Amino acid sequence: MRRGIGFWTGLGFTLLISAFLILPVLASVIAGVTANQFVGLSSGLTTRWLVEVWANYGGTVLLSLRIALATLAVTLLIGIPAAYVLARHAGVTARLVEEALVMPVAVPGIATALGLILAYGAVGDLRASWLFILAGHVVFCLPFMLRSVLAVLLALDLKGLEEAARACGASWPQRFLGVVLPNVSGGVLAGSLMVVTLSLGEFNMTLLLHTPFTRTLPVGLADAYTALRTEMASAYTLIFFVLIVPLLSAMQWAASRAERLGR
C-alpha cells in the first residue's frame, strides 16, 4: 500500500516535534558525563560529576523517593475511597466536594505552600520534618488520583455490579475488595503513575516547604544550576532520569498488564 503525501507530512512533523522535545534532554545528559561542558565531547567523557552529585546530593535523591512513595500510599488510601463515595452518591453536593478536592491544582504551588506554613507551620516540629513536604505533595497530587479512579468508576455500572455481588451473598468488604477494586485497577495504576511522577518532580511548593535538612531532588537540582555548576546540574538531571524512567516504565507495564487481564 502506497503512502500518501499526508502520511509523510504527518510523520515528518511528528519526528520534528519529537526531536525538539528530546534534544534538550540529550544535551543535558551529555553535559553530565563530559569532562568540560564548554569544550564539549572533545574534552572526553567522565563519571566525576555523577560521583560528586551522589556524594553531595545523594540524600536529596533518597528523600525524594521516600516522599514520592509515601505520597502514593496516602493518595491511594484517601483517593480510592473518596472516588468510590463520589461515584455512589452523584449529585450537587458530590460535585461540590469533588471541585473542592481538585482546587489545589488550579492554585499556584507557592500559594498552597504558604497556606500550609501559616496553618500548620507552628505545630510542633512539623515544619522541620519531611512530613511537612509530604503533606504538601498529598494536597497537590490527590486530585490526580481521585480523578483517574473516579473516571473509571463513572464509566462502570457500579450499582449493577454491586447488586449482582450482593445477590451472590457478598458482604460490603467483599464487594469493594473483590468487585470494585479489580474493575478500577487501570484507573488506580494511571493515577499512581501521575502521582509518583508529579511528586518526584514537584518544585514550586517544595521550594517553600523545605529546610536545609529536607531538600528534595528538584530543589537540589535548582541549587546546582544557581551555583552555575552546569556539569553538576546536568549529572543531577541524568541521575533523575535513571531513577524515573525505569520506575515509570514498570508502572506502565503494570497498567497494560492489568488492562489485558481485565479484558
Side-chain angles (χ1 to χ4, degrees):
M1 181 178 178
R2 296 184 61 183
R3 306 289 189 180
I5 186 66
F7 170 81
W8 295 112
T9 302
L11 178 62
F13 180 75
T14 301
L15 292 175
L16 182 64
I17 295 299
S18 299
F20 177 78
L21 296 174
I22 294 174
L23 185 60
V25 176
L26 184 61
S28 182
V29 169
I30 292 175
V33 294
T34 302
N36 189 321
Q37 187 266 334
F38 295 102
V39 176
L41 287 174
S42 59
S43 64
L45 300 178
T46 180
T47 59
R48 170 191 171 188
W49 311 117
L50 294 171
V51 173
E52 287 195 25
V53 165
W54 189 258
N56 295 324
Y57 299 102
T60 68
V61 175
L62 297 177
L63 178 60
S64 287
L65 286 173
R66 184 195 309 172
I67 292 174
L69 294 176
T71 301
L72 175 60
V74 175
T75 53
L76 285 171
L77 290 174
I78 299 175
I80 296 176
Y84 174 76
V85 172
L86 291 174
R88 285 283 293 167
H89 304 282
V92 176
T93 302
R95 297 289 74 80
L96 290 175
V97 172
E98 180 185 350
E99 292 303 320
L101 288 174
V102 301
M103 190 178 297
V105 177
V107 178
I110 293 180
T112 303
L114 181 60
L116 288 171
I117 292 172
L118 294 174
Y120 307 113
V123 178
D125 296 327
L126 183 62
R127 181 71 180 87
S129 172
W130 66 272
L131 295 175
F132 200 51
I133 299 176
L134 172 63
H137 283 209
V138 168
V139 170
F140 178 68
C141 295
L142 180 60
F144 296 93
M145 178 64 74
L146 178 71
R147 279 289 176 87
S148 296
V149 178
L150 184 59
V152 177
L153 284 171
L154 292 176
L156 295 173
D157 182 10
L158 184 58
K159 292 185 178 180
L161 288 173
E162 290 195 286
E163 287 298 331
R166 183 185 293 113
C168 294
S171 62
W172 183 85
Q174 291 174 325
R175 297 196 301 271
F176 183 76
L177 297 175
V179 177
V180 176
L181 283 184
N183 278 282
V184 299
S185 58
V188 171
L189 287 169
S192 299
L193 183 67
M194 287 189 286
V195 166
V196 172
T197 305
L198 291 170
S199 179
L200 281 174
E202 210 296 315
F203 173 73
N204 291 332
M205 183 185 299
T206 311
L207 184 64
L208 279 187
L209 296 180
H210 88 286
T211 69
F213 303 102
T214 57
R215 285 189 304 175
T216 62
L217 191 154
V219 175
L221 178 60
D223 289 345
Y225 274 114
T226 303
L228 299 180
R229 304 175 70 179
T230 307
E231 293 89 354
M232 289 280 287
S234 297
Y236 213 140
T237 304
L238 178 56
I239 290 177
F240 177 78
F241 285 132
V242 169
L243 288 173
I244 193 66
V245 171
L247 181 60
L248 297 184
S249 298
M251 295 181 71
Q252 288 177 336
W253 174 84
S256 300
R257 180 174 174 81
E259 184 178 355
R260 289 196 301 271
L261 291 174
R263 290 175 180 174

